[in-house]
Amino acid sequence: MRIGFIGAGSMVGAIARGAVAAGMDGSSFLFSDARGVSAPALAAEVGGTVASSNDTLAWQADLIVLGVKPQVQSAVIAEIRSTVKQRGQEVAVLSIAAGRSLESMSRDFGATVPLMRAMPNVNAQVGASVTALCPNDVVSDAQCEAARSVLETVGSVVDIEEKDFPIFTALAGCSPAWFFQMIDAFGRAGVKYGLKKAQSVEIAAAAMLGSAQLMLKAAAEGANPSTLIDQVTSPGGSTIAGLLAGEEAGLSTAIVRAVDAAVGHDHRLG
């Protein structure tokens, strides 16, 4: 299968590198980008080929990954629309642009073509993304599995209904920035008590990573976050003191409000 990437930004780069690292043949990858700079560099890195144009790529690829920004996606679709419609079921299109629904992309194509929508997150750069995947009704099982195979090289893939993309975007797409903010706050707290910022950040990040891994393991065994919280807290201890102080300051409410804001913003984009 030939995979064509239109756009060669950080997310496309993470996916292409992850796919090659997982054993996919980079020589089957095609790349194009608006400026003709990032695509050649990425193609050289993974052993792929640079397409002479987006339309040429659309003729040659079996799976087209639209890795361009949402605001320019319609213009890119216009360049490949005729070719994709002519090829019919031979080619599928996978969009990784936030806020672009399957319906809006179908309108841009002017026809029902095999379309999938995916939402990786920034952690794809370290092979730890959690990615949502949703196909339209004309995508074949083989095409969907091909897209899944590519996306799984940079993390896990979750099948969701398109109506759930706004909440998924908040929980998985936006949350890394909030986690980074929390780690930075822990870092400042460490500085307050005499540690260097870099050391404090490293400690907090490692603790967050370990906690996430433990949570996933426990969840697979039927546990929930409250179960683990109870394991860490002891009567009259520092952990429960910190938890209660955090709740008094509105920690849980702030997190839910952050999710509310992100979901509301995504709905406005749609």
Side-chain angles (χ1 to χ4, degrees):
M1 169 173 280
R2 301 211 75 185
I3 303 173
F5 296 91
I6 298 180
S10 59
M11 189 59 71
V12 165
I15 293 171
R17 294 183 191 100
V20 170
M24 288 190 174
D25 184 2
S27 66
S28 65
F29 294 172
L30 297 161
F31 298 92
S32 66
D33 75 305
R35 297 194 179 103
V37 176
S38 299
L42 185 55
E45 182 181 345
V46 302
T49 303
V50 179
S52 58
S53 68
N54 291 339
D55 188 54
T56 299
L57 182 148
W59 273 115
Q60 297 176 355
D62 302 301
L63 175 65
I64 301 170
V65 179
L66 292 180
V68 297
K69 295 183 183 300
Q71 60 266 33
V72 301
Q73 192 187 79
S74 292
V76 169
I77 289 175
E79 295 177 27
I80 65 173
R81 176 169 51 219
S82 177
T83 296
V84 170
K85 288 165 68 174
Q86 281 184 254
R87 295 188 63 198
Q89 197 66 30
E90 291 180 2
V91 60
V93 179
L94 173 66
S95 168
I96 59 173
R100 289 283 288 159
S101 69
L102 293 172
E103 182 182 358
S104 63
M105 288 184 284
S106 289
R107 286 198 302 267
D108 287 340
F109 277 107
T112 301
V113 300
L115 281 172
M116 290 170 279
R117 182 179 175 188
M119 175 59 64
N121 70 17
V122 67
N123 298 329
Q125 297 178 54
V126 292
S129 175
V130 54
T131 303
L133 178 63
C134 178
N136 70 5
D137 292 339
V138 298
V139 172
S140 69
D141 290 344
Q143 289 170 331
C144 195
E145 285 308 307
R148 182 189 308 280
S149 295
V150 174
L151 296 170
E152 283 180 342
T153 65
V154 291
S156 60
V157 177
V158 178
D159 295 306
I160 67 169
E161 295 182 30
E162 190 171 27
K163 68 179 179 61
D164 295 324
F165 259 83
I167 182 59
F168 178 89
T169 299
L171 295 180
C174 303
S175 64
W178 306 334
F179 297 146
F180 299 148
Q181 186 178 30
M182 291 177 196
I183 291 170
D184 190 60
F186 279 122
R188 292 194 299 273
V191 172
K192 177 181 178 180
Y193 288 98
L195 291 180
K196 292 183 178 179
K197 179 71 175 292
Q199 185 181 29
S200 299
V201 165
E202 182 179 357
I203 291 168
M208 182 175 283
L209 173 62
S211 300
Q213 291 172 333
L214 178 58
M215 183 68 258
L216 290 173
K217 178 179 181 295
E221 298 169 354
N224 57 53
S226 296
T227 304
L228 296 183
I229 290 171
D230 290 344
Q231 289 181 14
V232 181
T233 55
S234 56
S238 56
T239 302
I240 189 62
L243 280 171
L244 293 175
E247 288 305 292
E248 185 179 358
L251 179 60
S252 294
T253 300
I255 292 170
V256 174
R257 286 184 178 175
V259 172
D260 289 343
V263 170
H265 184 266
D266 195 85
H267 276 305
R268 288 194 297 274
L269 286 176

